[in-house]
Amino acid sequence: MHSAIPVADGVHWVGVNDYETHLFEAIWPLPRGISYNAYLVVDEKAALVDGVKAPFLDEMLGKVRGVLGPARPLDYLVVNHMEPDHSGTVRALRDLYPEMQIVGNAKTAAFLKKFFGVERNVRVVEDGETLSLGARDLQFHLTPMVHWPETMMTWDPAGRILFSGDAFGGFGALAGGVFDDEVDIPYYEDETLRYFSNIVGKYCRPVQKAIEKLGDLPVAVVASTHGPVWRSDPGRIIDTYARWSRQETEPGVVVAFASMYGGTQQMAEAVARSLAEAGVEKVRVHDLSRTHVSYVIRDVWRFRGLVVGGPTYNTRLFPPVENLLGHLENDRLRGRLLGIFGTYAWSGGAVERLRSFAEDGGEFDLVEPVVEAECRATPEQLQACADMGRNMAEALKKHA
Ligand code: FEO
């Protein structure tokens, strides 16, 4: 997709696909790549809404110039979000178009100065303020913490397009199709949930506030900075984000464990087997030493039940399990059923840490029994793991 793609009359997608970055934010895997969606709105004045990551400047500019011609400059750059996957080209665009006005709110202006030393020709807008491009206006709505404090959305009343920034976005490069009616939506669903849970999930309340605030806009197109542009069914992605931000879950259980020599795995498998025997169809067993935590977090956000187990390592919880807990504590999960188990050889540590997670790491209903094994689980302790799985299955049925 090396040319601009029309979104509506006077509006073009000028984004890029990134298949080069292995880890988004240097944490999250991108096996299917990611798109950075930028949009060009052309009237008497030309405005670029959002940008791309720095290495993709030339590709984006080629698309912009393909629409504007080589000589016409950009009049405005609207910065909905300052994370450098979108703002990485700000400095270069400022140098190319010295008279271009960079449009953002007060917090954007502070970031522009601190990240890029950009202070000149910055136009600071208030919540609800309008910018005229000629016959067409752009209106700015502040939506802080979706995903940074300066985040805002830009509304195009003429096309009824909501340029929503990170909100309603997902991982996964645009595989030929740009619009929701051009792509295989189920192909993107897992990656959209992984993006939501990994990147935006901590900010559920701000997501809800943004949806409430903009709920009266007659949105025809949701144009996020990542993933498909929703023009056929924009309500679908808004509803999906609303549901996830309310932490609505499906009946199912994630069993997340790590095991150095198989002892903890044996306990995890005893739990998983009893879940299956009790009729829980959706069981996801993740070995945290093998599966990147990004995918585990995605499944934890999807399902109501979570069982976490790990060995003790140098008197503490085994690091891959600790890594998961750290992420989940940050997310402040609500309304989940939690089971915990662990092992130790000569000092405790793992189960003590798991108990503190159960008490303070989110809003959990702890499913008994908690199982702690010394070196290797005894037959009685394996039976206790099975009891925990059965109790979890029964609790899931009560919540259904
Ligand atoms: Fe796509 Fe928060 O940046």
Side-chain angles (χ1 to χ4, degrees), residues 94-108:
R94 153 59 68 241
D95 293 344
L96 270 171
Y97 305 113
E99 299 313 311
M100 175 186 75
Q101 291 208 323
I102 302 177
V103 182
N105 55 70
K107 288 182 176 158
T108 321

Side-chain angles (χ1 to χ4, degrees), residues 118-150:
V118 168
E119 293 183 83
R120 201 175 68 81
N121 278 342
V122 173
R123 179 168 176 153
V124 175
V125 294
E126 304 288 333
D127 190 28
E129 193 171 328
T130 294
L131 173 73
S132 173
L133 303 181
R136 190 171 206 134
D137 292 339
L138 294 177
Q139 188 180 40
F140 308 104
H141 296 277
L142 272 55
T143 52
M145 302 316 302
V146 190
H147 138 237
W148 282 15
E150 86 299 351

Side-chain angles (χ1 to χ4, degrees), residues 73 146 148 153 160 210 250 310 387:
V146 190
W148 282 15
M153 299 189 192
R160 294 197 287 137
E250 302 171 27
D387 293 344

